[in-house]
Amino acid sequence: MHIQQEVGSEQWNRVKTRLRAELGDDVFSSWFARVDLEENSDGTVRLSVPTRFLKQWIQSHYRDRLVGLWQRECENVHRIELTVRGAARPRPVEMPMASSLPAPTRSVVAQAASEYRPITLNEPNSVAAAQAATAALARAEADNSARDVLQGAALDPKYTFETFVEGDSNGLALAAAKQVAAGGAVTFNPLYLHASVGLGKTHLMQAVASKARASGRKVLYLTAEHFMYRFVAALKAQSALAFKETLRTIDLLLIDDMQFLHGKQVQQEFCHTLNALIDGARQVIVAADRAPSELDTLDDRVRSRLSGGLVVGIAEPDFSLRRNILSARVTSTRKSYPNFTVPDTVLDYVARHVVSSGRDLEGALNRLVAHNQLTNQPITQDMAELTLRDLIRSSEPRRVKIEDIQRIVSKHYNVTKADLLSARRTRTIVRPRQIAMYLAKVMTPRSLPEIGRRFGNRDHTTVLHAVRKIEELARADVTLAQEIELLKRMLDA
């Protein structure tokens, strides 16, 4: 049994590797990062997921693909079964205790109960009566669901304008966020903030939401995943109309992590909501890890609408901003630990070497605090170097990823990533695909078989042919050689 489990785990790892190569890191992380293998027996693969929403989404969009990938590992697999981890087996439907229901629902249930009389199966109105009672409960649940929409995602009280440290890289984004939070006339709509992880876009979004809500405006802050969950739940409960109408009554809508908004129907509804709010002079703010034009999974209409407002990028902090962030965090830490001190030389050392994001800077300082408080030893540069060694970025050039190459090449040649991974053989796709494979060979440490897998499970000989072909063409074609050098500079930037 133990051996079977190990074999199943290896097969599942290979299936996930192929899924990641076919779908890309963003889509894979959104839908399959939390999927676990439970069992593979009798031709049925049983997978578990943490939420019902995730189960329904994978069943609707990826079931056939999963079956196909599993059959490449195990020919007798003919069925994929998805379960929700921790979910109980289905039970006969029971009426809930009245005290456990929300007040509006209790009133509807009470009215239904007062009108109820025992019926028998041969009564002509028995089915109609049962349907009426079910409809009454559904209407009450729909009303509650619509009200729940306005609650949105939780806001972190630490994320305010007062705790946000300004610098050259984020000054424009901060100014735009403050203007939106202040209210008044809508001057740019939507406001679109984009930045890599840990550079402050979520901090700004929540600061705007907190200030606007404090001024009495109707504010809704959601992540894209939360929006998808609410919309799909509304469809299931047949309360989609109430969901839409509720969304369109708010004054300020904030959607975070836009890169995770997937699904044609969900994106269409988001676009309709976006149009309704903007046309009604209601403010919308969207944040993502890339500019709208680089979100390949979004519908063209959504990308166009998002690009029509003010698009502001937040760059990596320079040394001055990193130093100010550390100083601000030290001041904040002293409220809890009055005797906590960090020499300026140590702060300078951290600011010079932890350069990726404000979140990493905060993590570095938290390590220094923990070391100081747990060992009662003063913070020195030697201690900082030892404690933070895995956070310190080396002096080597930035490591290029195959996903970066596919994204840059797709954008440069106006093709999609799906085209690069497909089996299509048209010239407009073959040449960009060969260039991308060539760049993957010369700019990453990946082997030819690995590169082949990341380009639609191609054989390593296909990659080798592409590399040799581009080398040969670049020697004879100056324009192509210049294009390749331009792509390399874009990837190294």
Side-chain angles (χ1 to χ4, degrees):
M1 183 67 178
H2 181 67
I3 294 176
Q4 289 179 340
Q5 290 176 341
E6 287 186 353
V7 171
S9 297
E10 292 175 359
Q11 292 172 333
W12 176 227
N13 287 336
R14 288 194 291 270
V15 169
K16 289 192 293 184
T17 299
R18 291 194 178 99
L19 269 176
R20 186 186 294 274
E22 291 182 10
L23 303 177
D25 281 345
D26 289 344
V27 176
F28 179 87
S29 298
S30 298
W31 305 119
F32 293 98
R34 294 176 290 173
V35 180
D36 292 338
L37 174 66
E38 299 295 334
E39 187 181 8
N40 176 14
S41 64
D42 300 326
T44 299
V45 173
R46 293 176 177 83
L47 305 174
S48 67
V49 294
T51 65
R52 284 179 294 176
F53 168 66
L54 200 57
K55 172 186 173 182
Q56 292 165 350
W57 189 271
I58 293 174
Q59 284 177 330
S60 301
H61 296 81
Y62 298 106
R63 181 193 290 272
D64 292 341
R65 181 175 298 203
L66 279 171
V67 171
L69 291 175
W70 266 102
Q71 286 175 342
R72 294 170 65 175
E73 295 294 330
C74 188
E75 292 182 357
N76 69 333
V77 169
H78 56 82
R79 183 167 176 259
I80 298 291
E81 183 178 291
L82 285 161
T83 60
V84 180
R85 287 193 285 276
R89 292 184 177 274
R91 297 177 300 177
V93 176
E94 299 176 357
M95 284 295 290
M97 296 291 291
S99 58
S100 67
L101 298 171
T105 307
R106 286 202 300 271
S107 63
V108 174
V109 174
Q111 180 179 354
S114 67
E115 298 173 355
Y116 171 79
R117 66 181 181 82
I119 55 178
T120 61
L121 291 178
N122 59 2
E123 283 191 77
N125 294 329
S126 60
V127 174
Q131 292 175 339
T134 302
L137 285 172
R139 286 195 301 273
E141 291 176 358
D143 291 340
N144 287 329
S145 177
R147 279 189 292 272
D148 287 343
V149 169
L150 290 178
Q151 294 179 2
L155 299 178
D156 191 329
K158 296 185 297 183
Y159 288 161
T160 65
F161 286 123
E162 290 71 27
T163 59
F164 190 86
V165 183
E166 183 178 3
D168 292 339
S169 61
N170 60 27
L172 179 59
L174 176 61
K178 284 185 174 180
Q179 182 167 332
V180 171
V186 177
T187 54
F188 36 78
N189 206 9
L191 170 60
Y192 187 100
L193 305 175
H194 64 94
S196 297
V197 175
L199 297 183
K201 57 185 183 296
T202 296
H203 189 145
L204 282 179
M205 295 269 285
Q206 295 204 17
V208 172
S210 296
K211 187 167 184 178
R213 187 173 289 170
S215 66
R217 296 158 71 188
K218 191 179 291 186
V219 177
L220 178 61
Y221 169 78
L222 293 171
T223 63
E225 190 174 24
H226 199 178
F227 178 89
M228 288 189 294
Y229 174 79
R230 289 295 179 87
F231 180 64
V232 173
L235 289 176
K236 282 187 59 183
Q238 298 181 342
S239 60
L241 182 61
F243 175 84
K244 298 174 187 179
E245 292 304 318
T246 303
L247 278 179
R248 295 170 191 180
T249 63
I250 60 179
D251 301 314
L252 173 60
L253 173 66
L254 304 100
I255 302 289
D256 205 354
D257 290 329
M258 189 67 187
Q259 68 271 14
F260 295 131
L261 188 71
H262 298 291
K264 182 176 180 180
Q265 189 174 7
V266 174
Q267 291 188 21
Q268 286 178 344
E269 181 52 40
F270 175 78
C271 193
H272 294 326
T273 300
L274 194 64
N275 290 334
L277 290 172
I278 292 175
D279 294 343
R282 311 292 178 90
Q283 182 69 57
V284 178
I285 307 181
V286 176
D289 63 356
R290 283 159 288 176
S293 60
E294 297 179 8
L295 293 177
D296 297 334
T297 57
L298 283 188
D299 182 83
D300 289 341
R301 288 174 298 176
V302 179
R303 281 205 303 268
S304 176
R305 197 55 157 144
L306 293 175
S307 300
L310 177 62
V311 178
V312 182
I314 303 176
E316 288 188 357
D318 57 19
F319 173 80
S320 176
L321 179 54
R322 295 196 298 271
R323 186 64 169 76
N324 290 339
I325 290 173
L326 286 170
S327 296
R329 298 296 181 264
V330 169
T331 301
S332 176
T333 301
R334 284 182 182 145
K335 295 177 182 178
S336 301
Y337 305 99
N339 297 325
F340 177 71
T341 59
V342 183
D344 289 342
T345 54
V346 173
L347 292 179
D348 290 341
Y349 169 80
V350 176
R352 274 196 307 272
H353 292 90
V354 181
V355 298
S356 53
S357 70
R359 191 171 297 167
D360 284 346
L361 287 170
E362 188 166 355
L365 189 63
N366 287 339
R367 293 191 191 187
L368 298 180
V369 172
H371 191 282
N372 174 256
Q373 298 300 312
L374 294 174
T375 66
N376 203 28
Q377 297 294 318
I379 295 174
T380 64
Q381 183 152 333
D382 288 342
M383 182 269 281
E385 291 176 1
L386 181 63
T387 304
L388 307 178
R389 61 185 180 276
D390 61 314
L391 275 179
I392 302 302
R393 177 183 288 183
S394 69
S395 58
E396 298 175 359
R398 184 175 71 90
R399 176 172 293 181
V400 177
K401 299 179 180 178
I402 291 180
E403 290 80 7
D404 298 331
I405 294 172
Q406 292 169 338
R407 175 172 55 83
I408 294 293
V409 170
S410 296
K411 183 178 179 182
H412 184 77
Y413 290 101
N414 196 29
V415 298
T416 67
K417 181 177 177 181
D419 288 333
L420 295 181
L421 305 184
S422 72
R424 295 177 61 188
R425 300 289 301 168
T426 57
R427 180 178 175 81
T428 56
I429 294 173
V430 170
R431 184 55 50 77
R433 183 189 295 141
Q434 290 176 333
I435 290 174
M437 289 181 179
Y438 166 79
L439 292 172
K441 177 64 176 69
V442 299
M443 298 190 71
T444 76
R446 304 299 180 189
S447 64
L448 293 178
E450 173 66 13
I451 295 172
R453 284 194 293 271
R454 303 292 283 277
F455 279 86
N457 288 311
R458 286 176 161 79
D459 190 81
H460 74 281
T461 56
T462 303
V463 181
L464 182 59
H465 171 74
V467 171
R468 290 175 175 171
K469 183 70 174 178
I470 296 304
E471 287 176 342
E472 177 185 343
L473 292 174
R475 283 194 294 267
D477 187 340
V478 175
T479 302
L480 177 60
Q482 290 174 344
E483 280 188 16
I484 291 174
E485 288 305 314
L486 173 61
L487 291 169
K488 287 181 178 180
R489 289 197 297 271
M490 292 169 67
L491 288 163
D492 283 332

